[in-house]
Amino acid sequence: MTTQDSGIGLIRHEDMVQPFVLHKSSVRGRMVRMCPTIDRILSRHNNPPEVNRMLGELLTLAAMLSANLPEDGILTMQAKGDGPVSFLVVDAVHGGGLRGYANLQENAETTIADMAKHSPSLSLTDLMGTGYLAITLNMGRGIEPYQGIVPLEGDNFTHAVQHYFTQSQQIDVLFNLHVAQRVREDGSSRWAAGGIMLERMPEEGGIKQEQKDEIKGWEYNALLVDTATEDELLDPHLAPSALLYRLFNEGGVWVNDACGVSANCRCSREKVSNMLCSLGAESLEELKEDGVITVTCQFCNTDERFTEDDIKKLMN
């Protein structure tokens, strides 16, 4: 699917997370819009568009869920299945840094292309089969990491994550999320993502009898979120605050300071060097091809090459 990205010389609202709170309620949320960041991550690998769309969805969910991470916190989302796409992983760090990649089975591209001929919209289980999604939250500073696991069910990751929160965490949460390729004025296309997350914070002692009107308010606002269209969520010239006002102006909405997101792999030659040093001389000899060791980062798909002289320096 492609959509048109028109407008020249207009202010662009991209690569950002916009937190908000609905007036006089326990409902809060976040709106995410990404174009350069998600296009940079997805374009690093030559994956089928169906896989890129699924990976983009997981990246967008990670951006939403990681908005309140502490300085050394990391949110990791890993999906493993027995389908053509065997593994996906994304992680997000404080400050909005994102990275992710997909691992495909042998001949997966052909399998996915054949499946797409019979079904224009492949589901999560079509692509990944039977498996699970693990959500790991590491808050840093010696705090024990928390992990939740949910089976791969539903049409997409959004359904799986929503099911996890409502069933396992007993938290009301919903998402309206889109990932698509947008056609630019010069005829090129770039990946873009956008979405809104709505969350009802738990009341002390649960929802009381006299708070039934709050439940009605949640359902009403959930319907409003669903009315946001793909074009509205992906349009880089529509400010998130303007869209939120368009949706929630009747009841009132407060927006907080927005924060940025970026493609942040975190790999480095120094880290690769330390890893190689830990292997020992015998293992390094086995890794050589024509006297050179090449290490490829699965996230950013970049190579670090170590010559004979580099390896000798490492061993010293």
Side-chain angles (χ1 to χ4, degrees):
M1 180 188 300
T2 59
T3 54
Q4 188 70 33
D5 179 4
S6 60
I8 299 176
L10 302 176
I11 296 176
R12 302 180 71 87
H13 302 272
E14 301 174 314
D15 289 345
M16 60 191 301
V17 180
Q18 176 66 74
F20 64 92
V21 178
L22 300 188
H23 186 54
K24 293 184 178 180
S25 77
S26 60
V27 179
R28 68 180 185 181
R30 303 178 191 103
M31 179 178 170
V32 172
R33 182 180 290 135
M34 297 188 289
C35 183
T37 288
I38 203 163
D39 186 72
R40 190 173 297 118
I41 295 174
L42 298 182
S43 299
R44 286 170 172 166
H45 303 274
N46 189 27
N47 290 324
E50 294 85 358
V51 178
N52 275 339
R53 192 170 292 111
M54 185 168 59
L55 180 57
E57 179 190 13
L58 203 58
L59 285 162
T60 308
L61 289 167
M64 290 177 171
L65 297 174
S66 64
N68 293 324
L69 282 175
E71 187 171 351
D72 52 353
I74 302 176
L75 172 73
T76 305
M77 304 176 76
Q78 301 178 73
K80 187 174 183 179
D82 57 8
V85 182
S86 59
F87 184 71
L88 276 86
V89 61
V90 305
D91 68 30
V93 297
H94 172 80
L98 293 169
R99 64 178 184 173
Y101 76 91
N103 188 55
L104 279 61
Q105 300 277 21
E106 188 176 357
N107 299 320
E109 292 87 348
T110 302
T111 302
I112 293 172
D114 291 340
M115 294 168 61
K117 292 178 182 177
H118 300 92
S119 176
S121 179
L122 298 179
S123 69
L124 173 62
T125 51
D126 288 333
L127 293 168
M128 296 207 69
T130 303
Y132 64 87
L133 171 66
I135 304 173
T136 305
L137 182 61
N138 191 331
M139 301 298 285
R141 294 190 296 273
I143 301 175
E144 188 72 19
Y146 170 80
Q147 184 177 80
I149 297 178
V150 60
L152 294 179
E153 297 176 343
D155 292 335
N156 49 50
F157 281 121
T158 301
H159 292 158
V161 172
Q162 188 166 312
H163 177 79
Y164 166 74
F165 277 101
T166 55
Q167 299 300 318
S168 301
Q169 301 297 309
Q170 301 296 307
I171 297 175
D172 288 323
V173 63
L174 63 91
F175 304 89
N176 182 358
L177 189 154
H178 291 277
V179 179
Q181 288 178 293
R182 292 183 65 87
V183 178
R184 300 173 63 85
E185 288 294 312
D186 60 4
S188 64
S189 63
R190 296 176 69 186
W191 285 98
I196 297 177
M197 170 186 175
L198 208 62
E199 177 184 11
R200 178 163 61 178
M201 302 305 296
E203 301 283 348
E204 291 187 9
I207 299 176
K208 300 177 183 178
Q209 185 70 21
E210 63 267 26
Q211 293 174 323
K212 286 186 176 180
D213 59 330
E214 174 70 10
I215 299 176
K216 182 178 179 181
W218 167 258
E219 293 172 345
Y220 176 71
N221 288 308
L223 291 174
L224 292 180
V225 170
D226 285 337
T227 65
T229 66
E230 177 180 317
D231 280 342
E232 287 177 318
L233 292 170
L234 301 185
D235 184 359
H237 307 301
L238 175 60
S241 56
L243 176 55
L244 293 172
Y245 179 78
R246 184 182 297 178
L247 295 173
F248 303 114
N249 66 85
E250 183 177 0
V253 57
W254 298 90
V255 296
N256 301 321
D257 292 339
C259 53
V261 293
S262 61
N264 179 18
C265 181
R266 308 200 303 280
C267 72
S268 69
R269 188 173 180 85
E270 180 183 3
K271 290 180 179 179
V272 177
S273 298
N274 292 336
M275 180 272 293
L276 293 176
C277 284
S278 68
L279 298 179
E282 184 176 343
S283 296
L284 291 180
E285 284 297 324
E286 294 176 357
L287 291 174
K288 289 181 183 179
E289 291 187 8
D290 298 326
V292 175
I293 295 177
T294 302
V295 180
T296 302
C297 175
Q298 291 179 298
F299 285 100
C300 63
N301 203 30
T302 57
D303 295 336
E304 291 290 348
R305 298 179 74 256
F306 293 83
T307 65
E308 290 278 10
D309 288 340
D310 295 328
I311 296 169
K312 288 178 181 178
K313 292 178 181 177
L314 289 178
M315 298 313 299
N316 290 330

